[in-house]
Amino acid sequence: MQENKSPTLQTERLILRDFREEDWQAAHEWGADPKVVKYMPFGPNTEDETKTFINRVLNNQKAQPRISFNFALINKPDNRLIGSCRIKIKSVDSKEGEIGYALNRRYWNQGYMTEAARSVISFGFIQLGLHRIIATCDPANTGSYRVMEKLGMQREGYLREH
């Protein structure tokens, strides 16, 4: 399991780093967007809800051992925070993790989330030593499902009334 470290990952177009307190406004931009959160278990967020999210993420960064890594996605060309991609260790014993993600709508359909998630999955397998990484999405969320397909994930089930 990962010690309490602040990993930074890089892809061709993105820097993936730990969230900071001042990131709440950029996170609020997508967290308050009804189209972005349509299939999420939260939102649209109020400013206070987004600040609570950021505080929870900051607290998770301090956990020992650390089991949740929520990366802020920074677009290199404009140094703008455009989304998040999280990996959480669900089971230490079975070495299973789960990813989730959200992206500012201005950056949809440009491959950013596939790029970020691919890097986070690699981090999960290599740095965290996970054996299996899962993701779930609403069947109607075709964008999220396309990301999973591009990552090589396989559909294993349909969670009725989930």
Side-chain angles (χ1 to χ4, degrees):
M1 193 172 319
Q2 182 77 12
E3 291 179 26
N4 185 7
K5 295 182 181 175
S6 297
T8 299
L9 311 175
Q10 290 206 38
T11 67
E12 183 180 335
R13 300 180 293 170
L14 298 168
I15 297 169
L16 290 76
R17 62 156 171 82
D18 272 342
F19 272 90
R20 302 173 185 151
E21 190 173 347
E22 63 269 19
D23 291 335
W24 79 267
Q25 289 171 310
H28 187 65
E29 197 171 319
W30 76 77
D33 184 335
K35 289 186 179 180
V36 173
V37 301
K38 180 177 181 179
Y39 301 108
M40 303 285 190
F42 64 86
N45 284 355
T46 64
E47 286 186 359
D48 284 342
E49 289 168 331
T50 300
K51 289 177 184 178
T52 297
F53 160 75
I54 293 294
N55 286 330
R56 185 172 55 252
V57 168
L58 295 176
N59 285 332
N60 288 341
Q61 292 170 6
K62 299 173 192 169
Q64 282 291 354
R66 187 168 176 185
I67 62 166
S68 183
F69 298 82
N70 201 324
F71 293 96
L73 309 181
I74 310 300
N75 188 25
K76 286 180 182 179
D78 58 11
N79 198 36
R80 179 179 167 88
L81 195 160
I82 64 170
S84 70
C85 189
R86 175 183 63 97
I87 187 163
K88 181 177 181 176
I89 299 170
K90 288 184 58 131
S91 170
V92 174
D93 294 335
S94 65
K95 297 182 179 182
E96 181 177 84
E98 180 174 24
I99 63 165
Y101 38 79
L103 186 65
N104 185 312
R105 172 162 49 120
R106 292 185 218 164
Y107 296 86
W108 285 3
N109 299 312
Q110 298 174 52
Y112 282 102
M113 193 47 69
T114 303
E115 187 175 322
R118 184 171 283 123
S119 181
V120 170
I121 286 173
S122 179
F123 170 79
F125 285 130
I126 296 168
Q127 273 78 28
L128 300 180
L130 297 174
H131 173 70
R132 176 182 170 90
I133 298 173
I134 66 165
T136 60
C137 76
D138 185 301
N141 189 348
T142 55
S144 184
Y145 188 71
R146 277 197 319 267
V147 168
M148 290 181 218
E149 286 180 323
K150 289 177 189 174
L151 295 170
M153 299 180 103
Q154 298 175 14
R155 180 182 288 196
E156 291 189 358
Y158 186 89
L159 305 173
R160 292 179 187 3
E161 300 180 31
H162 179 64

